[in-house]
Amino acid sequence: MKHIKVADLMTDEVVSVAPGTAFKDVAKLLAQYGVSGLPVLDDEDRVVGVVSQTDILAHAAPEPRPARPAVPPAGPPTAGDVMSTPAVTVHAEETAADAARLMTRRGIERLPVVDEEDRLVGIVTRRDLLRLFVRPDSEIRRRVTDEVLTEVLGVPTGDIDVHVLDGFVTLNGRVERRSQLAALLSLVERLDGVVAVASHVGARTDDTLATYAGHARDAQPW
């Protein structure tokens, strides 16, 4: 079954900076493009860090520290001085769902997207990933019917009625074997755009009992 990849949702025109970009220029770019962070690239376009609004503000207003002898600054601060590293990135071929889980786990708003050699190819944001949940109901219904029921489970057309409203999938009907029920529910829940599933599907035969009985016969007594 096909899942939406990060490459399908990302923006491939990315504003980035080099480690030596001046602190003030980074702040100007963040304001100019209305973004919350910028990837920092080395000479081979590999992502070495990310500089965000939070990094900028933390540097502009640092936490109070115990008094120490004054050390003259080496020069104006740069992106390399304030960036967060190592950068949290995602590969273009990973699924959008994986990217969403990574964003949630790390509490970030955007992810630099890299290729197999870890070179920057795009950026994906929380807003981009929200598009997963605005899939047309007609498209979700088609995928449930064609991909899950027909291609994967081999359920004859008409055995299960599929109704989709605002991403909520309702299933009614029967499959041939009881062992298919768990697979049906799992596969539909994993489709991009599905918010929830209500399954009212029964089975004509209970093959789980036959399987259990077979295992019992094969078991050796102590």
Side-chain angles (χ1 to χ4, degrees):
M1 292 174 56
K2 181 181 178 182
H3 290 279
I4 295 178
K5 303 289 184 65
V6 171
D8 299 324
L9 298 175
M10 71 181 189
T11 300
D12 54 12
E13 295 183 3
V14 186
V15 182
S16 61
V17 295
T21 303
F23 176 89
K24 288 186 177 181
D25 290 336
V26 174
K28 288 178 182 178
L29 287 171
L30 290 171
Q32 178 181 345
Y33 288 95
V35 295
S36 60
L38 297 173
V40 183
L41 309 183
D42 65 13
D43 294 338
E44 296 183 345
D45 289 339
R46 290 188 172 89
V47 182
V48 295
V50 173
V51 60
S52 66
Q53 293 173 342
T54 302
D55 296 323
I56 295 291
L57 294 174
H59 186 84
E63 293 289 334
R65 296 180 179 179
R68 294 181 179 178
V71 177
T78 64
D81 296 326
V82 301
M83 69 182 183
S84 298
T85 186
V88 181
T89 62
V90 65
H91 284 86
E93 292 305 306
E94 292 187 55
T95 68
D98 288 337
R101 284 190 285 269
L102 179 58
M103 277 189 187
T104 301
R105 187 166 65 248
R106 301 299 292 266
I108 51 182
E109 298 290 330
R110 58 186 58 235
L111 285 170
V113 184
V114 297
D115 62 15
E116 294 178 353
E117 297 181 351
D118 290 330
R119 291 188 173 88
L120 183 73
V121 294
I123 200 157
V124 65
T125 68
R126 284 181 180 266
R127 180 177 296 179
D128 296 328
L129 295 176
L130 285 175
R131 290 162 54 189
L132 287 175
F133 299 100
V134 292
R135 314 298 292 180
D137 289 339
S138 58
E139 179 184 340
I140 295 173
R141 185 180 186 280
R142 179 193 61 76
R143 294 195 65 192
V144 172
T145 302
D146 295 350
E147 297 181 21
V148 176
L149 295 177
T150 302
E151 296 178 14
V152 178
L153 298 179
V155 176
T157 302
D159 277 17
I160 295 181
D161 177 66
V162 181
H163 180 72
V164 185
L165 179 63
D166 295 333
F168 190 97
V169 180
T170 303
L171 306 172
N172 289 281
R174 285 185 179 276
V175 292
E176 188 61 35
R177 303 181 305 278
R178 186 178 181 84
S179 60
Q180 293 175 295
L181 295 177
L184 170 62
L185 184 61
S186 175
L187 290 169
V188 174
E189 287 177 336
R190 288 162 50 193
L191 284 176
D192 299 316
V194 171
V195 175
V197 181
S199 179
H200 308 289
V201 179
R204 295 184 178 89
T205 60
D206 189 350
D207 58 334
T208 59
L209 293 177
T211 301
Y212 176 78
H215 288 321
R217 285 194 300 270
D218 294 338
Q220 297 295 324
W222 291 97

